C-alpha cells in the first residue's frame, strides 16, 4: 500500500475531532492534516485554517501535501440550516463542489462525503427507510445532502473519482460536542442529567430516530474507506443504522443510573424536522457490500456516555 496522506475539512466538528484522532492513530500524526474554519482547537498534527469556499486555498493544501485520502466533513447541520437556508446551501453545496473539483484535479485516491438521514422525507417507509427510497427532504440540510450524494455519484461515473459516503444517523459521543443538529438532544441530555439533574427536551417524548454511538460511526467510516473499491457498489451513499430510540426510552435508560433524573418535553421547530425523518434505516446493503455491523445498543451507549462524562468530570476536579 502506498503511503497515505490524509486531509480533513471540518476537523473541529463533533465527528471531525474524533475522526482526526483515529486517523492520527492509524496513519501517524505526520500524515494527517486537519482543517477547519476556526482557529486550531488543539490538534497536535498539522492544522490549517480553511474555509471550504476557498477553492484555491484547498487546492494548494492538497497539492503541497500530496494528499491521497480526503475526508470532507464541513457542513451546516439541520437546525442551524433552517435559520439561514441560503448560507447552509452555499457552504454545503459550493463547499462540496470545491472538494470534488480539487480532489479530481489533484487525483486523490479516495474521498469521503458524509450524508445523513436528513436526505429522507416524503414518501418513504418511515419504519425502515430503504437504501433506494425516494429522496424528498424537508430541510435545506437534507436537500443539500441529497444533491451532494448525486454529485458524488456523478464524479465517480464521469471522472472515476473514488468517492465513498455514509448516511449517518444522529451521532452520539461525549468527547466532542455536536452543534446545530436535530439529534443533538441525545448528547445534551447526558450532560444536563449529570450537571443539573434535569433536562428540557426540544423533541417530543415519542420522537423515534436512528442514532449511532461515536465509536461505531468512526469504525464504519474507516471500514468503508478501507474496503476494496470493487466492494463499493453504491456511489451515492450507504444507509447506516446503529440503533433507534425515543427521548422517553433514553430517559428511562439514564434513570437506571440516576433514579432522581427529571425530564420535561417542550418540542420546538426541530420536532418538525424530526417528523420528516425515518425512525429506522435498512442498512443491509452496507452489511452485504463491505461487512458493516454495529456494536453499540441503547444500553451500552447509555452506560458508556454516563460513565465517560462522570470520569472526565472527576479528572477535572
Ligand atoms: C442533524 O441532526 O442535523 C445531524 C444529522 C442527523 O445529520 N446530526
Amino acid at each position: 500500500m502506498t503511503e497515505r496522506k490524509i486531509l480533513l475539512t471540518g476537523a473541529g466538528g463533533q465527528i471531525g475531532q474524533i475522526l482526526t484522532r483515529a486517523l492520527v492513530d492509524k496513519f501517524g500524526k505526520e500524515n494527517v492534516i486537519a482543517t477547519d474554519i476556526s482557529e486550531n482547537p488543539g490538534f497536535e498534527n498539522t492544522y490549517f485554517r480553511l474555509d471550504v469556499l476557498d477553492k484555491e486555498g484547498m487546492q494548494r493544501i492538497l497539492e503541497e501535501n500530496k494528499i491521497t485520502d480526503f475526508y470532507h466533513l464541513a457542513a451546516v447541520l439541520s437546525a442551524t440550516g433552517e435559520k439561514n437556508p441560503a448560507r447552509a446551501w452555499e457552504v454545503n453545496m459550493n463547499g462540496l463542489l470545491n472538494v470534488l473539483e480539487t480532489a479530481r484535479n489533484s487525483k486523490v485516491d479516495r474521498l469521503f462525503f458524509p450524508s445523513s438521514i436528513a436526505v429522507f422525507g416524503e414518501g418513504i417507509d418511515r419504519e425502515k427507510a430503504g437504501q433506494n427510497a425516494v429522496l424528498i427532504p424537508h430541510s435545506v440540510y437534507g436537500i443539500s445532502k441529497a444533491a451532494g450524494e448525486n454529485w458524488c455519484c456523478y464524479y465517480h461515473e464521469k471522472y472515476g473519482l473514488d468517492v465513498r459516503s455514509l448516511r449517518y444517523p444522529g451521532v452520539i459521543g461525549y468527547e466532542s460536542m455536536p452543534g446545530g443538529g436535530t439529534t443533538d438532544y441525545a448528547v445534551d441530555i447526558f450532560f444536563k442529567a449529570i450537571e443539573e439533574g434535569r433536562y428540557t427536551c426540544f423533541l417530543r417524548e415519542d420522537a423515534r430516530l436512528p442514532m449511532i454511538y461515536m465509536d461505531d460511526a468512526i469504525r464504519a467510516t474507516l471500514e468503508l474507506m478501507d474496503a476494496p473499491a470493487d466492494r463499493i457498489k453504491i456511489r451515492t451513499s450507504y444507509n447506516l443504522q446503529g440503533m433507534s430510540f425515543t427521548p422517553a426510552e433514553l430517559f428511562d435508560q439514564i434513570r437506571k443510573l440516576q433514579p432522581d433524573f427529571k425530564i420535561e418535553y417542550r418540542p420546538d421547530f426541530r420536532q418538525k424536522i424530526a417528523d420528516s425523518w425515518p425512525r429506522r434505516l435498512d442498512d443491509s446493503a452496507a452489511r452485504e457490500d463491505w461487512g458493516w455491523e454495529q456494536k453499540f445498543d441503547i444500553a451500552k451507549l447509555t452506560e458508556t456516555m454516563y460513565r465517560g462524562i462522570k470520569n472526565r468530570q472527576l479528572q477535572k476536579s
Side-chain angles (χ1 to χ4, degrees), residues 103-162:
R104 173 169 89 94
N105 291 338
S106 303
K107 300 192 172 37
V108 303
D109 290 343
R110 257 166 258 166
L111 172 64
F112 177 74
F113 170 67
S115 186
S116 161
I117 54 171
V119 295
F120 297 108
E122 253 0 87
I124 54 162
D125 174 0
R126 227 164 270 294
E127 296 309 326
K128 205 171 188 191
Q131 177 63 52
N132 296 317
V134 61
L135 304 185
I136 309 178
H138 285 248
S139 62
V140 68
Y141 171 64
I143 298 171
S144 70
K145 288 293 181 187
E149 290 184 4
N150 284 305
W151 271 113
C152 288
C153 191
Y154 180 84
Y155 267 71
H156 175 69
E157 281 172 8
K158 192 165 169 105
Y159 305 116
L161 191 63
D162 187 351

Side-chain angles (χ1 to χ4, degrees), residues 15 17 35 48 51 64 82 107 124 130 140 147 192 197 204 217 237 254 257 259 284 298-299 305 308:
I15 299 174
Q17 289 181 45
T35 72
F48 297 116
D51 181 341
E64 283 174 1
E82 291 312 288
K107 300 192 172 37
I124 54 162
V140 68
K192 287 284 184 328
R204 268 195 333 260
S237 190
I254 299 173
L257 303 169
S284 48
I298 185 173
M305 286 291 289

Side-chain angles (χ1 to χ4, degrees), residues 217-233:
I218 298 296
R219 191 170 46 78
T221 309
L222 297 180
E223 285 175 7
L224 175 76
M225 290 297 269
D226 277 350
D230 61 2
R231 299 275 300 276
I232 310 299
K233 308 260 165 44

Side-chain angles (χ1 to χ4, degrees), residues 14 77-79 115-118 141 168-171 180-184 277:
Q14 185 205 13
L77 299 193
S78 57
S115 186
S116 161
I117 54 171
Y141 171 64
Y168 285 131
V171 178
T182 302
T183 56
D184 295 6
W277 289 355

Side-chain angles (χ1 to χ4, degrees), residues 4-75:
R4 317 307 306 167
K5 277 276 182 188
I6 323 283
L7 178 67
L8 298 98
T9 68
Q14 185 205 13
I15 299 174
Q17 289 181 45
I18 312 300
L19 184 59
T20 302
R21 197 174 66 195
L23 290 164
V24 165
D25 287 348
K26 193 168 156 125
F27 296 104
K29 92 173 174 193
E30 63 290 357
N31 293 317
V32 180
I33 296 173
T35 72
D36 204 292
I37 190 137
S38 52
E39 293 308 320
N40 189 347
F43 289 116
E44 285 174 12
N45 52 307
T46 305
Y47 180 89
F48 297 116
R49 197 191 159 278
L50 176 70
D51 181 341
V52 291
L53 299 176
D54 173 11
K55 190 173 170 190
E56 282 72 39
M58 189 180 285
Q59 190 77 69
R60 204 167 40 247
I61 295 175
L62 279 162
E63 272 161 23
E64 283 174 1
N65 298 283
K66 301 191 172 39
I67 296 300
T68 59
D69 297 25
F70 194 173
Y71 292 77
H72 171 48
L73 302 177

